[in-house]
């Protein structure tokens, strides 16, 4: 155990973590290759209805399942612009077929190019909603409710949030030959990514109207990931009292229909998401679909509400909400229970959430995410000061007795049993715990992994500057200065630790700094900054403890293992 240095443990655990993460992506269920297809409006379902939820059987009894005749021809695009959203609504179905985020540019080099979330043409990614009529005995329900295949009318082709205007409404209307009129209204608010969506039903027919609202998100195959080194989840998520997520390709197979009270559904990607959020306490049926063709599959996750009956001459309304935007944890937590979990911190969420809270608090004081990372690293180091001190003290004492250990190795040669016996006697005599250098650092690994996910997942750090050449903490250092400094700091740490007696382990230890330098050259600058600062603080603490031991009588150099009478 004396040759297995704590830094070796930490390094191997982290490398294993990266390898496991990459293996899980590469050898798990593989997505099919997405084919970028130019789709005309309504082209994904105008000829069939397999992308609709099932119409429920009313208590009044079943009616013939007549095919809907919801209007012919393609819809037209309505352009909607607010201070936070730039999107297009198709009058066929009133679907949102494209959504850009003007306040979140693609990169600092493309400040005028907004990030696109919904995109029908490239990813078949659409937010859909509509109404379906229950199957009622004696009533042909095929054209009594507008699904997302129906064609709406709109009063204009462009809507803009004007200066001094806080609310923007976009009304769409549909009416059938019986006099049933539905107004679908999108309500946008200044400074918000949350959109209110309502369907108001006015029943001008002679029979009662019984129908339900449905909301669904449709997406093509999972896009290829951008980085081999850094993987973040892209797929579907929902909340049924617990946070669940599934890859798109296995969604229909693994998620059965289920009743939800409250909850929500979402499609998530790195930093951004779209989510349908019902009213609090509303009962819904969660459903999934795989539609399209084998060459161009489409994956759907949706919610269907409980039925509402509107008497002849009466009216009724369905309300829901749609989030299209970044994974901002505070607003998401206020919208619905568990929605902030879409900021996917993984296994150590219980540690990541308080770490982000602390990081955000520091940022509110210093106003710079880079300095916030440095101060948070310092606080973490202070929290683990006693554990780290135990580890560094043990390593310094091990270094002090290393000449005696080398002498034992020369004395017993390849006799491992006698060698281990002699080492145990030496540890007992010198009052050294051979695990003292390893366990304290192993305890800190979950905190490191939790912080790794905080720095990787938090959209607040996206395109956030620090100083000088570091203008985006979420991408790699453009000049590789931080990774090189990090590698140098690792090498300096090794010089403070006792060298392994095994020549193979010595070579491994010497190889770790350059290996990690290469790895971290592609990591976000914010993560490298944390590691570098942590290393520098560790070196300072280890140097301080070594000086203290020397004052107590230990010779922590390479020539002797002599110790003063004063105990530990």
């Amino acid at each position: 155990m004396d040759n297995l240095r704590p830094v070796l443990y930490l390094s191997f655990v982290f490398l294993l973590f990266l390898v496991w993460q990459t293996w899980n992506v590469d050898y798990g269920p593989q997505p099919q290759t997405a084919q970028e297809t130019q789709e005309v409006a309504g082209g994904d379902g105008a000829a069939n209805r397999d992308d609709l939820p099932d119409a429920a059987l009313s208590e009044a009894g079943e009616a013939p399942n007549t095919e809907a005749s919801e209007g012919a021809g393609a819809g037209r695009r309505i352009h909607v612009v607010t201070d936070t959203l730039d999107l297009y609504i198709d009058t066929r179905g009133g679907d949102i077929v494209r959504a850009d985020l003007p306040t979140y540019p693609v990169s600092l080099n493309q400040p005028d190019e907004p990030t696109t979330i919904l995109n029908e043409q490239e990813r078949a990614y659409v937010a859909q909603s509509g109404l379906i009529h229950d199957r009622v005995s004696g009533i042909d329900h095929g054209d009594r409710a507008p699904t997302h295949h129906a064609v709406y009318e709109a009063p204009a082709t462009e809507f803009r949030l004007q200066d001094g205007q806080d609310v923007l409404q976009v009304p769409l209307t549909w009416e059938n030959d019986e006099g049933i009129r539905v107004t679908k209204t999108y309500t946008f608010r200044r400074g918000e990514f949350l959109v209110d969506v309502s369907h108001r039903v006015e029943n001008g027919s002679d029979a009662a109207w019984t129908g339900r609202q449905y909301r669904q998100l449709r997406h093509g195959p999972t896009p290829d990931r951008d980085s081999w080194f850094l993987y973040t989840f892209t797929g579907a998520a929902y909340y049924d009292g617990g946070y669940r997520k599934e890859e798109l390709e296995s969604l229909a197979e693994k998620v059965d229909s289920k009743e939800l009270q409250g909850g929500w559904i979402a499609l998530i990607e790195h930093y951004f998401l779209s989510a349908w959020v019902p009213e609090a306490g509303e009962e819904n049926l969660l459903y999934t679909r795989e539609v399209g063709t084998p060459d161009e599959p489409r994956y759907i996750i949706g919610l269907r509400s409980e039925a509402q009956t509107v008497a002849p001459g009466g009216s009724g309304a369905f309300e829901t909400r749609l989030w299209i935007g970044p994974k901002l944890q505070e607003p998401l937590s206020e919208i619905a229970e568990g929605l902030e979990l879409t900021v996917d911190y993984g296994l150590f969420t219980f540690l990541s959430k308080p770490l982000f809270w602390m990081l955000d608090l520091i940022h509110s004081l210093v106003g710079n995410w880079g300095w916030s990372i440095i101060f948070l690293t310092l606080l973490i180091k202070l929290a683990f000061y006693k554990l780290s001190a135990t580890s560094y003290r043990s390593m310094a004492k091990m270094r002090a007795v290393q000449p005696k250990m080398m002498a034992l190795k020369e004395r017993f040669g390849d006799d491992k049993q006698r060698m281990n016996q002699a080492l145990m006697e030496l540890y007992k005599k010198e009052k050294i715990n051979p695990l003292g250098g390893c366990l304290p650092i192993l305890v800190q690994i979950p905190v490191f992994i939790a912080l790794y996910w905080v720095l990787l997942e938090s959209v607040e750090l996206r395109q956030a500057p620090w100083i000088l050449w570091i203008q985006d903490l979420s991408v790699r250092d453009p000049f590789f200065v931080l990774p090189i400094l990090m590698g140098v700091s690792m090498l300096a740490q090794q010089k403070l630790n006792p060298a392994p007696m095994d020549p193979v382990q010595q070579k491994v230890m010497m190889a770790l700094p350059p290996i990690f330098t290469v790895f971290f050259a592609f990591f976000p600058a914010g993560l490298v900054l944390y590691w570098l600062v942590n290393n520098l603080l560790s070196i300072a603490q280890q140097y301080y403890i070594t000086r203290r031991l020397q004052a107590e009588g230990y010779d922590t150099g390479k020539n002797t293992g002599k110790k003063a009478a004063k105990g530990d």
Side-chain angles (χ1 to χ4, degrees):
M1 193 68 185
D2 55 290
N3 290 328
L4 298 177
R5 300 296 158 237
V7 67
L8 188 59
Y9 269 108
L10 182 60
S11 303
F12 280 149
V13 168
F14 183 66
L15 284 174
L16 287 173
F17 167 69
L18 293 175
V19 170
W20 171 83
Q21 180 177 263
T22 303
W23 183 92
N24 191 50
V25 176
D26 288 342
Y27 295 97
Q30 291 297 304
Q32 301 177 41
T33 302
Q35 297 184 11
E36 296 186 356
T37 58
Q38 298 294 321
E39 301 177 43
V40 297
D44 240 12
N48 62 72
R49 300 294 182 267
D50 60 353
D51 60 349
L52 288 170
D54 296 329
L57 175 63
S58 170
E59 294 179 359
E62 184 173 0
N65 189 11
T66 307
E67 184 71 22
S69 56
E70 295 163 324
R76 57 196 176 104
R77 300 295 170 90
I78 299 171
H79 190 198
V80 181
V81 181
T82 73
D83 59 327
T84 56
L85 294 168
D86 186 339
L87 49 81
Y88 288 87
I89 299 172
D90 195 331
T91 56
R92 175 173 287 279
D95 299 342
I96 299 181
V97 294
R98 183 182 175 99
D100 295 337
L101 306 180
T103 55
Y104 285 83
V106 171
S107 69
L108 293 175
N109 296 327
Q110 299 172 283
D112 298 326
E113 183 70 23
T115 293
T116 299
I117 300 183
L118 303 175
N119 192 333
E120 181 184 46
Q121 292 187 338
E122 291 187 4
R123 296 188 288 171
Y125 189 2
V126 181
Q128 300 173 321
S129 60
L131 303 178
I132 50 174
H133 198 280
D134 281 10
R135 292 176 288 167
V136 180
S137 180
I139 296 178
D140 180 357
H141 66 282
D143 193 29
R144 303 197 89 220
T147 71
H148 62 274
H149 296 290
V151 177
Y152 287 84
E153 295 293 330
T157 58
E158 183 173 276
F159 295 81
R160 287 182 178 271
L161 188 70
Q162 303 298 328
D163 292 340
Q165 183 182 7
D166 292 328
V167 178
L168 175 66
Q169 290 191 326
V170 179
L172 308 171
T173 57
W174 171 92
E175 188 171 0
N176 71 355
D177 295 335
E178 297 180 59
I180 299 174
R181 181 183 178 87
V182 174
T183 303
K184 181 175 184 177
T185 304
Y186 286 96
T187 301
F188 303 87
R189 291 180 174 81
R190 181 175 296 278
E192 294 188 9
F193 298 97
L194 188 66
V195 183
D196 291 338
V197 184
S198 68
H199 288 84
R200 180 175 175 81
V201 181
E202 299 173 77
N203 186 4
S205 72
D206 297 330
W209 185 94
T210 302
R212 303 163 192 259
Q213 175 185 228
Y214 69 90
R215 296 128 289 177
Q216 61 188 33
L217 297 165
R218 188 194 73 191
H219 200 294
T222 305
D224 293 334
R225 57 196 175 113
D226 295 329
S227 171
W228 187 91
F229 291 95
L230 300 173
Y231 169 72
T232 56
F233 179 77
T234 297
Y238 63 95
Y239 190 80
D240 61 355
Y243 175 62
R244 322 289 181 194
K245 63 180 183 179
E246 291 291 343
E247 292 184 349
L248 293 171
E249 284 71 16
S250 59
L251 181 62
E253 178 184 347
K254 291 188 177 180
V255 180
D256 296 327
S257 297
K258 61 173 66 179
E259 297 289 342
L260 298 184
Q261 185 165 6
W264 45 264
I265 57 171
L267 292 181
I268 60 178
E269 58 189 89
H270 194 200
Y271 295 135
F272 304 102
L273 83 153
S274 61
W276 282 110
V277 185
E279 294 294 304
E282 180 183 315
E283 293 185 1
N284 283 277
L285 175 72
L286 182 143
Y287 63 90
T288 60
R289 295 277 191 278
E290 181 175 341
V291 298
T293 66
D295 291 334
E296 296 181 359
R298 304 289 183 258
Y299 308 99
I300 292 172
I301 183 169
L303 293 172
R304 190 193 71 185
S305 73
E306 290 292 287
Q308 185 176 152
T309 298
V310 180
S315 64
F318 297 88
E319 306 287 343
T320 193
R321 295 171 293 171
L322 173 65
W323 176 278
I324 310 172
K327 297 177 182 178
L328 298 173
Q329 297 177 59
E330 185 176 349
L332 291 176
S333 65
E334 295 173 354
I335 293 170
E337 181 181 0
L339 192 56
E340 76 281 2
L341 296 176
T342 53
V343 183
D344 195 356
Y345 291 143
L347 180 63
F348 296 107
T349 295
F350 68 98
L351 292 174
S352 295
K353 291 182 73 172
L355 285 173
F356 175 78
W357 177 85
M358 181 60 69
L359 184 66
D360 191 40
L361 178 62
I362 296 171
H363 178 261
S364 68
L365 299 175
V366 302
N368 181 288
W369 286 107
W371 293 114
S372 300
I373 291 171
I374 291 173
F375 287 125
L376 178 63
T377 308
L378 178 60
L379 290 176
I380 293 174
K381 201 66 182 174
L382 288 174
F384 285 106
Y385 181 84
K386 289 293 185 182
L387 277 175
S388 299
T390 300
S391 174
Y392 298 147
R393 193 175 184 89
S394 176
M395 286 189 286
K397 291 165 72 174
M398 291 281 284
R399 180 170 179 172
V401 300
Q402 193 168 32
K404 293 184 178 181
M405 294 163 60
M406 296 299 294
L408 290 176
K409 183 179 179 182
E410 293 175 3
R411 178 179 175 185
F412 295 107
D414 296 331
D415 191 339
K416 292 186 178 180
Q417 184 175 358
R418 294 187 65 190
M419 173 70 176
N420 289 334
Q421 243 176 0
L423 281 175
M424 290 302 106
E425 291 175 3
L426 178 62
Y427 294 152
K428 186 176 180 180
K429 178 182 177 183
E430 300 290 340
K431 297 180 181 180
I432 296 175
N433 179 4
L435 298 178
C438 306
L439 294 182
I441 288 185
L442 290 176
V443 170
Q444 300 175 50
I445 289 177
V447 176
F448 167 76
I449 296 177
L451 186 58
Y452 165 88
W453 283 112
V454 167
L455 299 178
L456 184 63
E457 274 286 306
S458 300
V459 69
E460 290 81 357
L461 272 70
R462 181 179 183 268
Q463 298 178 7
W466 178 37
I467 57 172
L468 301 176
W469 73 100
I470 303 295
Q471 293 300 309
D472 187 350
L473 289 164
S474 67
V475 300
R476 65 174 178 83
D477 182 337
F479 302 113
F480 307 109
V481 175
L482 290 179
I484 292 172
L485 292 176
M486 188 276 302
V488 173
S489 69
M490 284 189 69
L491 190 61
Q493 265 190 300
Q494 287 188 7
K495 298 299 182 182
L496 292 174
N497 296 330
M501 291 190 295
D502 186 351
V504 175
Q505 289 185 23
Q506 289 182 15
K507 291 179 181 179
V508 171
M509 291 291 290
M510 291 303 296
L512 283 178
I515 290 174
F516 266 69
T517 299
V518 172
F519 262 95
F520 275 69
F522 300 95
F523 278 21
L527 184 63
V528 185
L529 177 62
Y530 161 74
W531 190 286
L532 171 61
V533 174
N534 184 71
N535 281 357
L536 294 177
L537 292 173
S538 298
I539 291 170
Q541 185 181 9
Q542 196 167 353
Y543 178 77
Y544 170 75
I545 290 173
T546 301
R547 294 295 299 269
R548 286 283 303 273
L549 284 172
Q550 288 174 346
E552 292 176 13
Y554 286 93
D555 185 341
T556 56
K558 297 183 179 180
N559 299 322
T560 180
K562 184 178 178 181
K563 176 179 88 67
K566 187 176 181 179
D568 189 28

